[in-house]
Amino acid sequence: MTIATDKPTSGLTAPDAAIAALAPGAASIDRIVEVTLSSIVLPLKNPISDAKVLTGRQKAMTEVVFLFAEIRTEQGHEGIGFGYSKRAGGPAQFTHAQEIAPVLIGEDPNDIGKIWTKLVWAGASVGRSGVATQAIAAIDIALWDLKAKRAGLPLAKLIGSARDSVQTYNTSGGFLHTPIEEVMENAAISLANGIGGIKLKVGQPDWRTDIARVTAVREFLGDDVPLMVDANQQWDRPTAQRMGRILEQFDLVWIEEPLDAYDAEGHAQLARSLDTSIATGEMLASVGEHVRLIEAGSVDILQPDAPRIGGITQFLKLATLAEHHNLQLAPHFAMEIHLHLAAVYPLQTWVEHFDWLDPLFDEHLETRDGRMHLSARPGLGFTLSEQGRAWTVAKAVVR
């Protein structure tokens, strides 16, 4: 692929001048020469059920499909990033990434914002949310990893961290398929491993079952351990209002996704009427969708997911808006990425601890004293394990 860098712009038409302005110039210090995309299927030890399964809207989850992007430059610098899909969408993310990746070749990897825009326009016919932004996310995250590695810094330090550790809570031990005795055992293990809070799934067909489970866990943990609940969008407005009032007694950190993720008005009503904070945002697939939540006053604790909204470039834009509105931040899933982004955010933050992804990586994050700690490793600080590579089901190399 050949890119002209010395074409004069004088006398060009406006479209030609714009195209020339986007080409890498004399200030560019490196070029992308190769992009490797991998679709990796992570099997889960046990089928996972939340309220969406109990309402019949989804089947139990047995695997998570990851899109990994590995970028290499002519100077030998490398970066790795990933996105993911649960239950459906993995092949679509991989195919879309494969279609748009050629626009990366020859670009200066430092120009991440410009590259993000080029990738969006390369796939403009499918929009700027959903699969389109999720496919871009893996590439964008790899570019940020590469940039931080080139600087010899952890990603949080490259951006500028507000703290070197973040409050952390565990979700993976509290799903609805798990008997309550096992939930409490999992909670004890999490706390012993230095995790600070516990999240419990709710949304049972019989609300009394939810209250019984929350009561048991609160009594087991005592009053001082942070406790959250997550209804995974399965309540209607009257149910969410009633359950919110009942749940006030448990001194929860937040009630997560009590309503449909796109019901900004309903979430706003709950946020105004309840003492307990309302948290949501994980299912949204663009910055614009989050803006509607924020402007409606729908959320006390915003839960964006960098792989879902288009990567780190978009996450940082959203974080600036969230800070302007004095919102707390608790990014969803993907702690290997979100630890860095939560450490950068100047206001109150949480990171969600999931042990599901541990087999994918050679490194593991450190938790102690209720917090997840940044390491000194450059970039995101992880490498894909041999086991992770063995789970590859599709691969494409773009040069």
Side-chain angles (χ1 to χ4, degrees), residues 148-319:
K149 285 176 178 172
R150 181 199 291 275
L153 296 170
L155 177 62
K157 295 297 183 179
L158 177 75
I159 301 170
S161 63
R163 59 189 69 82
D164 288 348
S165 66
V166 180
Q167 294 180 106
T168 186
Y169 68 96
N170 178 264
T171 293
S172 52
F175 276 81
L176 292 180
H177 67 276
T178 309
I180 191 60
E181 294 79 14
E182 188 175 339
V183 169
M184 292 188 287
E185 180 181 346
N186 291 340
I189 293 171
S190 293
L191 296 176
N193 288 334
I195 295 169
I198 302 297
K199 189 168 80 178
L200 183 64
K201 296 289 185 175
V202 294
Q204 302 270 0
D206 183 349
W207 64 271
R208 297 173 185 84
T209 306
D210 279 335
I211 299 305
R213 285 168 68 89
V214 177
T215 300
V217 172
R218 174 49 86 199
E219 291 177 351
F220 176 78
L221 296 176
D223 294 334
D224 296 332
V225 175
L227 178 64
M228 307 83 163
V229 300
D230 182 359
N232 287 107
Q233 308 179 72
Q234 297 309 295
W235 290 333
D236 56 25
R237 290 186 184 185
T239 302
Q241 189 70 56
R242 288 195 300 269
M243 290 298 291
R245 288 171 179 160
I246 296 170
L247 290 167
E248 297 277 17
Q249 64 184 299
F250 298 106
D251 192 25
L252 302 175
V253 180
W254 69 67
I255 299 172
E256 183 171 332
E257 286 197 319
L259 299 170
D260 184 276
Y262 293 89
D263 184 2
E265 292 78 11
H267 279 101
Q269 291 173 10
L270 286 176
R272 288 192 298 267
S273 63
L274 298 177
D275 291 337
T276 307
S277 293
I278 299 299
T280 191
E282 68 178 63
M283 294 302 298
L284 304 185
S286 69
V287 171
E289 291 168 4
H290 282 82
V291 169
R292 183 163 179 259
L293 281 183
I294 295 171
E295 291 181 343
S298 304
V299 59
D300 302 298
I301 301 171
L302 196 66
Q303 298 183 299
D305 185 319
R308 282 182 172 163
I309 65 171
I312 292 169
T313 298
Q314 296 301 96
F315 190 102
L316 293 175
K317 293 178 181 179
L318 179 57

Side-chain angles (χ1 to χ4, degrees), residues 56-135:
R57 290 174 170 167
Q58 291 184 342
K59 295 181 179 180
M61 183 165 51
T62 59
E63 63 188 24
V64 182
V65 181
F66 289 84
L67 169 63
F68 274 85
E70 296 171 271
I71 297 174
R72 185 171 61 83
T73 75
E74 63 185 8
Q75 291 185 8
H77 297 288
E78 296 181 348
I80 185 170
F82 69 86
Y84 70 94
S85 180
K86 299 177 180 177
R87 295 184 175 88
Q93 291 177 9
F94 177 77
T95 299
H96 189 71
Q98 187 176 354
E99 287 184 304
I100 63 176
V103 306
L104 292 159
I105 304 303
E107 288 290 337
D108 185 333
N110 294 292
D111 298 335
I112 300 176
K114 184 185 80 170
I115 291 171
W116 196 95
T117 301
K118 287 192 70 171
L119 291 168
V120 166
W121 279 105
S125 64
V126 293
R128 300 184 183 184
S129 65
V131 167
T133 49
Q134 291 162 13

Side-chain angles (χ1 to χ4, degrees), residues 372-384:
M372 190 178 294
H373 294 257
L374 288 171
S375 77
R377 297 188 294 268
L380 290 168
F382 67 79
T383 51
L384 189 57

